[in-house]
Amino acid sequence: ILQSDGVTPKDVTGYTIVAAIKTEPGGELLYQIPAEDISVEESVVTLTIPGPVSAAWTWSVGWWRLKVTEPDPPNPLNPDAHRVVQGTFFVDQE
C-alpha cells in the first residue's frame, strides 16, 4: 500500500483491513476474508483464501475490494478509511 503520492510505502501496521468479494460494486456479499486470513507487514497486506474454501464456490466472477482504516482515529466518527484496491475477481474452476 502506498502513500497518496503513489510512490512512498505507507505503513499500515495496526490498521483495520477489510477485504470482501461481492457480486458487483455495492452488490451481494459472496465472501468476506476473515481477519485470521489477512496479514500485514508494514506496507504489505497479504490475503489468503484457503483452497477448500474457494473450491466450494459455485460462482466464478465477482467484484472485490480492500479497505484500510486507521487505528485510533482522532475523530472516531470520521476515521481515515480508504478503499485501496478494487476490481473484478475471477475464479478458475479448473
Side-chain angles (χ1 to χ4, degrees):
I1 296 177
L2 302 175
Q3 301 277 1
S4 60
D5 65 9
V7 176
T8 310
K10 179 175 184 69
D11 186 349
V12 292
T13 303
Y15 277 54
T16 299
I17 309 294
V18 177
I21 305 168
K22 296 184 174 193
T23 54
E24 60 188 354
E28 178 185 338
L29 181 67
L30 295 170
Y31 184 68
Q32 177 83 40
I33 298 177
E36 62 268 15
D37 291 337
I38 301 172
S39 68
V40 178
E41 291 185 34
E42 296 179 2
S43 63
V44 177
V45 176
T46 302
L47 308 173
T48 301
I49 300 173
V53 170
S54 62
W57 291 343
T58 57
W59 49 272
S60 59
V61 178
W63 180 263
W64 83 288
R65 57 108 175 107
L66 184 139
K67 184 170 75 171
V68 298
T69 304
E70 70 176 322
D72 305 318
N75 179 354
L77 298 176
N78 189 25
D80 183 22
H82 300 278
R83 185 173 297 180
V84 295
V85 180
Q86 64 183 9
T88 306
F89 188 95
F90 295 101
V91 179
D92 184 354
Q93 299 289 353
E94 294 182 28

